[in-house]
Amino acid sequence: MYQIKELANGIRIVHQEVTHTRLVHCGFVLNIGSRDETKEQEGLAHFWEHMAFKGTKKRKTFHIINRLESLGGELNAYTTKEKICFYASVLKEHYSKAADLLFDITFNSIFPAKEIEKERQVILEEMSMYRDSPDDSIQDELDALVFENHSLGRNILGTEETVSKFSQQDFFDFISTRLDTSQVVFSIVGNISFSKALKAIEGPLSEIQPKRTLYARSAFHTYAPQVKTINRDITQSLCALGRPAYSQHDPNRYKLFLLNNILGGPSMNSRLNLALREKYGYVYSIESSYQPFSDTGFFGIFFGTEEKTLKKSTQIVHRELHKLRTKKLGTMQLHMAKEQAIGQMAMAEENYAALMLVFGKSLIDHGKIDPLERIFEQIRSTTAEEVLAIAEEIFNPEQLSYLTYLPN
């Protein structure tokens, strides 16, 4: 069972002890992401994530990257549209070192000018790598199509123009205007008691001055379906279709999670995989995804196929969507789909590093952590009529945007 402590400055600490492991996973989750940038700041949150490893008030780059890795631990970070996370996994006896280091890189980064120049080149190379990977870039371009003229549609990496201009002061200004101590969570999952976990981190965190920002995210509400085709130097056609979906506060989100799992989830028995790969061999892989945000969400389907089978593959995708929109799931079909989704979630809970991050994000987004059993109950209580109604809404072909990459 997890425990939570809120400090006077608003920072929260969440902890769950797991005794049958030698490891502790811990990390900071900040409610700041790429959607919180202005157009001129595009890519700054991701750049900050990189720069956190490049020097603090008391550590240089080598001391940061060597601190835990020399002990067999791992230090990492990532940026999404709504979150920045700095986290680590270590043997339990090294937890205090991990907590100290994470605190340092999260709150004491100094963004050395020389390191900015070096990391700028690294990020520009990262951009080139993504452009050379059509499977990655088509997802970013579909975001731009669905969330046109909104920060949710911008690339997390930024643009060459913006990344080339960032200075040391830009980082300090961004943090000053976006960091809210009530929107910071330190999460710990592993073989350590709550009292020992607090001992290493509560003191330093308590010394941070409380800070509330006046910033509020701009809501997205201007969607218009679009169709776009791009010719690229590729050998296989790629297709992506998507639209806005339910937010993380919508009561239908778990029902859509279930529906998405049936359609094109990670299992080989998803409808799209059975229809396109197993029956016809048209694709190597096809997936659908649902990602909720704080005020909206995203649903998308992605696949690649030979140009000669693109039209037929697209027709099959629409046929599967039409089936789910017009034909109610049978009792056994729905039962099996629920058990599969619940089993996948239960297995995911065994990944304690991921669970640690889920705790942090859930506490920020909902102010609480729903027990897995409560989520299971919501999935089990979903009716065939509800699944049909959601499919009719989300899979409406007139509300989908389409993006296609064709070989030159």
Short mmCIF file of all heavy atoms in Angstrom, two decimals, residues 53-83:
data_model
loop_
_atom_site.label_atom_id
_atom_site.label_comp_id
_atom_site.label_asym_id
_atom_site.label_seq_id
_atom_site.Cartn_x
_atom_site.Cartn_y
_atom_site.Cartn_z
N PHE A 53 21.70 16.96 -16.84
CA PHE A 53 22.85 16.07 -16.62
C PHE A 53 24.18 16.78 -16.89
O PHE A 53 25.23 16.14 -16.82
CB PHE A 53 22.74 14.85 -17.54
CG PHE A 53 21.53 14.00 -17.28
CD1 PHE A 53 20.32 14.30 -17.88
CD2 PHE A 53 21.59 12.91 -16.44
CE1 PHE A 53 19.19 13.54 -17.65
CE2 PHE A 53 20.47 12.12 -16.20
CZ PHE A 53 19.27 12.45 -16.80
N LYS A 54 24.13 18.06 -17.19
CA LYS A 54 25.33 18.75 -17.66
C LYS A 54 25.94 19.71 -16.65
O LYS A 54 26.80 20.52 -17.00
CB LYS A 54 25.00 19.52 -18.96
CG LYS A 54 24.52 18.62 -20.08
CD LYS A 54 25.55 17.54 -20.40
CE LYS A 54 25.03 16.56 -21.42
NZ LYS A 54 26.03 15.50 -21.71
N GLY A 55 25.53 19.62 -15.41
CA GLY A 55 26.18 20.44 -14.38
C GLY A 55 25.20 21.04 -13.41
O GLY A 55 24.14 21.55 -13.78
N THR A 56 25.56 20.95 -12.11
CA THR A 56 24.77 21.58 -11.05
C THR A 56 25.70 22.48 -10.25
O THR A 56 26.87 22.64 -10.59
CB THR A 56 24.15 20.52 -10.12
OG1 THR A 56 25.20 19.87 -9.38
CG2 THR A 56 23.37 19.48 -10.92
N LYS A 57 25.19 23.03 -9.16
CA LYS A 57 26.01 23.90 -8.33
C LYS A 57 27.18 23.17 -7.69
O LYS A 57 28.17 23.79 -7.32
CB LYS A 57 25.13 24.55 -7.26
CG LYS A 57 24.07 25.48 -7.83
CD LYS A 57 23.13 25.99 -6.75
CE LYS A 57 22.04 26.88 -7.34
NZ LYS A 57 21.08 27.35 -6.33
N LYS A 58 27.06 21.85 -7.55
CA LYS A 58 28.15 21.11 -6.91
C LYS A 58 28.69 19.93 -7.72
O LYS A 58 29.61 19.26 -7.28
CB LYS A 58 27.71 20.62 -5.54
CG LYS A 58 26.59 19.58 -5.54
CD LYS A 58 26.27 19.15 -4.11
CE LYS A 58 25.22 18.06 -4.06
NZ LYS A 58 24.92 17.63 -2.66
N ARG A 59 28.14 19.68 -8.92
CA ARG A 59 28.59 18.54 -9.72
C ARG A 59 28.80 18.94 -11.18
O ARG A 59 28.03 19.72 -11.73
CB ARG A 59 27.57 17.39 -9.68
CG ARG A 59 27.48 16.68 -8.34
CD ARG A 59 26.48 15.51 -8.46
NE ARG A 59 26.47 14.68 -7.27
CZ ARG A 59 25.59 14.79 -6.27
NH1 ARG A 59 24.65 15.74 -6.33
NH2 ARG A 59 25.64 13.98 -5.23
N LYS A 60 29.83 18.37 -11.78
CA LYS A 60 30.03 18.49 -13.22
C LYS A 60 29.45 17.26 -13.91
O LYS A 60 29.04 16.30 -13.27
CB LYS A 60 31.52 18.65 -13.53
CG LYS A 60 32.10 19.95 -13.00
CD LYS A 60 33.54 20.15 -13.45
CE LYS A 60 34.08 21.49 -12.97
NZ LYS A 60 35.48 21.71 -13.39
N THR A 61 29.44 17.30 -15.23
CA THR A 61 28.80 16.24 -16.01
C THR A 61 29.29 14.86 -15.61
O THR A 61 28.48 13.94 -15.37
CB THR A 61 29.05 16.46 -17.51
OG1 THR A 61 28.56 17.75 -17.88
CG2 THR A 61 28.35 15.40 -18.33
N PHE A 62 30.58 14.67 -15.54
CA PHE A 62 31.14 13.34 -15.25
C PHE A 62 30.65 12.84 -13.90
O PHE A 62 30.30 11.66 -13.75
CB PHE A 62 32.67 13.37 -15.28
CG PHE A 62 33.29 12.08 -14.83
CD1 PHE A 62 33.34 10.98 -15.68
CD2 PHE A 62 33.80 11.93 -13.54
CE1 PHE A 62 33.88 9.77 -15.26
CE2 PHE A 62 34.34 10.74 -13.11
CZ PHE A 62 34.40 9.66 -13.98
N HIS A 63 30.63 13.71 -12.92
CA HIS A 63 30.21 13.29 -11.57
C HIS A 63 28.73 12.92 -11.54
O HIS A 63 28.32 12.05 -10.76
CB HIS A 63 30.50 14.41 -10.57
CG HIS A 63 31.95 14.80 -10.51
ND1 HIS A 63 32.38 16.04 -10.88
CD2 HIS A 63 33.05 14.08 -10.17
CE1 HIS A 63 33.70 16.09 -10.75
NE2 HIS A 63 34.13 14.91 -10.32
N ILE A 64 27.94 13.55 -12.40
CA ILE A 64 26.52 13.22 -12.46
C ILE A 64 26.31 11.85 -13.09
O ILE A 64 25.64 10.98 -12.53
CB ILE A 64 25.74 14.30 -13.25
CG1 ILE A 64 25.73 15.62 -12.47
CG2 ILE A 64 24.31 13.84 -13.55
CD1 ILE A 64 25.18 16.79 -13.24
N ILE A 65 26.90 11.62 -14.26
CA ILE A 65 26.64 10.37 -14.96
C ILE A 65 27.37 9.19 -14.32
O ILE A 65 26.95 8.04 -14.47
CB ILE A 65 27.02 10.47 -16.46
CG1 ILE A 65 28.52 10.77 -16.64
CG2 ILE A 65 26.18 11.54 -17.14
CD1 ILE A 65 28.95 10.81 -18.09
N ASN A 66 28.42 9.47 -13.57
CA ASN A 66 29.19 8.39 -12.95
C ASN A 66 28.68 8.02 -11.55
O ASN A 66 28.97 6.94 -11.05
CB ASN A 66 30.67 8.78 -12.86
CG ASN A 66 31.56 7.61 -12.50
OD1 ASN A 66 31.54 6.58 -13.18
ND2 ASN A 66 32.35 7.74 -11.45
N ARG A 67 27.93 8.91 -10.94
CA ARG A 67 27.53 8.76 -9.54
C ARG A 67 26.78 7.45 -9.29
O ARG A 67 27.09 6.72 -8.34
CB ARG A 67 26.65 9.94 -9.13
CG ARG A 67 26.12 9.89 -7.70
CD ARG A 67 27.22 9.96 -6.69
NE ARG A 67 26.71 10.23 -5.35
CZ ARG A 67 27.39 10.02 -4.23
NH1 ARG A 67 28.64 9.53 -4.30
NH2 ARG A 67 26.87 10.30 -3.05
N LEU A 68 25.82 7.11 -10.12
CA LEU A 68 25.03 5.90 -9.91
C LEU A 68 25.48 4.75 -10.81
O LEU A 68 25.41 3.58 -10.40
CB LEU A 68 23.54 6.19 -10.16
CG LEU A 68 22.91 7.26 -9.27
CD1 LEU A 68 21.43 7.38 -9.57
CD2 LEU A 68 23.13 6.95 -7.79
N GLU A 69 25.91 5.07 -12.00
CA GLU A 69 26.32 3.99 -12.91
C GLU A 69 27.52 3.23 -12.39
O GLU A 69 27.65 2.03 -12.61
CB GLU A 69 26.59 4.56 -14.31
CG GLU A 69 25.32 5.08 -14.96
CD GLU A 69 25.41 5.16 -16.46
OE1 GLU A 69 26.46 4.85 -17.02
OE2 GLU A 69 24.39 5.55 -17.08
N SER A 70 28.40 3.91 -11.66
CA SER A 70 29.55 3.22 -11.07
C SER A 70 29.12 2.26 -9.97
O SER A 70 29.89 1.39 -9.55
CB SER A 70 30.55 4.24 -10.50
OG SER A 70 29.97 4.98 -9.44
N LEU A 71 27.86 2.40 -9.52
CA LEU A 71 27.32 1.52 -8.49
C LEU A 71 26.35 0.49 -9.08
O LEU A 71 25.67 -0.22 -8.35
CB LEU A 71 26.58 2.36 -7.44
CG LEU A 71 27.41 3.42 -6.72
CD1 LEU A 71 26.51 4.31 -5.87
CD2 LEU A 71 28.49 2.78 -5.85
N GLY A 72 26.31 0.42 -10.40
CA GLY A 72 25.40 -0.51 -11.06
C GLY A 72 24.00 0.01 -11.22
O GLY A 72 23.10 -0.74 -11.61
N GLY A 73 23.78 1.29 -10.91
CA GLY A 73 22.45 1.87 -11.03
C GLY A 73 22.23 2.51 -12.38
O GLY A 73 23.12 2.54 -13.24
N GLU A 74 21.04 3.03 -12.56
CA GLU A 74 20.68 3.70 -13.81
C GLU A 74 20.05 5.06 -13.50
O GLU A 74 19.24 5.17 -12.58
CB GLU A 74 19.69 2.87 -14.62
CG GLU A 74 20.26 1.56 -15.14
CD GLU A 74 19.25 0.77 -15.95
OE1 GLU A 74 18.07 1.19 -16.00
OE2 GLU A 74 19.63 -0.27 -16.52
N LEU A 75 20.44 6.05 -14.28
CA LEU A 75 19.90 7.40 -14.15
C LEU A 75 19.33 7.79 -15.50
O LEU A 75 19.98 7.59 -16.54
CB LEU A 75 20.99 8.38 -13.74
CG LEU A 75 20.63 9.86 -13.65
CD1 LEU A 75 19.63 10.11 -12.52
CD2 LEU A 75 21.88 10.72 -13.44
N ASN A 76 18.10 8.31 -15.51
CA ASN A 76 17.49 8.60 -16.80
C ASN A 76 16.48 9.75 -16.66
O ASN A 76 16.21 10.22 -15.56
CB ASN A 76 16.79 7.36 -17.35
CG ASN A 76 16.88 7.27 -18.87
OD1 ASN A 76 16.95 8.30 -19.56
ND2 ASN A 76 16.89 6.06 -19.40
N ALA A 77 15.95 10.16 -17.80
CA ALA A 77 14.95 11.22 -17.82
C ALA A 77 14.19 11.16 -19.13
O ALA A 77 14.66 10.56 -20.11
CB ALA A 77 15.64 12.59 -17.68
N TYR A 78 13.02 11.77 -19.15
CA TYR A 78 12.29 11.91 -20.42
C TYR A 78 11.32 13.08 -20.33
O TYR A 78 10.98 13.55 -19.25
CB TYR A 78 11.56 10.62 -20.81
CG TYR A 78 10.42 10.21 -19.91
CD1 TYR A 78 9.14 10.75 -20.06
CD2 TYR A 78 10.60 9.26 -18.91
CE1 TYR A 78 8.09 10.37 -19.24
CE2 TYR A 78 9.56 8.87 -18.08
CZ TYR A 78 8.30 9.43 -18.26
OH TYR A 78 7.27 9.04 -17.44
N THR A 79 10.92 13.54 -21.51
CA THR A 79 9.98 14.65 -21.62
C THR A 79 8.79 14.21 -22.46
O THR A 79 8.96 13.58 -23.50
CB THR A 79 10.65 15.86 -22.31
OG1 THR A 79 11.84 16.20 -21.61
CG2 THR A 79 9.72 17.07 -22.33
N THR A 80 7.58 14.54 -22.02
CA THR A 80 6.39 14.32 -22.81
C THR A 80 5.71 15.67 -23.04
O THR A 80 6.24 16.71 -22.68
CB THR A 80 5.41 13.35 -22.10
OG1 THR A 80 4.87 14.01 -20.94
CG2 THR A 80 6.10 12.07 -21.68
N LYS A 81 4.52 15.63 -23.60
CA LYS A 81 3.81 16.87 -23.85
C LYS A 81 3.36 17.55 -22.56
O LYS A 81 3.13 18.76 -22.54
CB LYS A 81 2.61 16.61 -24.77
CG LYS A 81 3.03 16.21 -26.19
CD LYS A 81 1.83 16.02 -27.08
CE LYS A 81 2.24 15.49 -28.44
NZ LYS A 81 3.05 16.44 -29.22
N GLU A 82 3.27 16.77 -21.46
CA GLU A 82 2.78 17.35 -20.21
C GLU A 82 3.66 17.08 -18.99
O GLU A 82 3.35 17.58 -17.92
CB GLU A 82 1.36 16.85 -19.91
CG GLU A 82 0.34 17.29 -20.94
CD GLU A 82 -1.09 17.08 -20.50
OE1 GLU A 82 -1.37 16.10 -19.77
OE2 GLU A 82 -1.95 17.90 -20.90
N LYS A 83 4.73 16.33 -19.14
CA LYS A 83 5.54 15.97 -17.98
C LYS A 83 7.04 15.96 -18.32
O LYS A 83 7.44 15.66 -19.45
CB LYS A 83 5.18 14.57 -17.45
CG LYS A 83 3.73 14.40 -17.03
CD LYS A 83 3.41 15.12 -15.74
CE LYS A 83 1.99 14.81 -15.25
NZ LYS A 83 0.94 15.36 -16.15
#
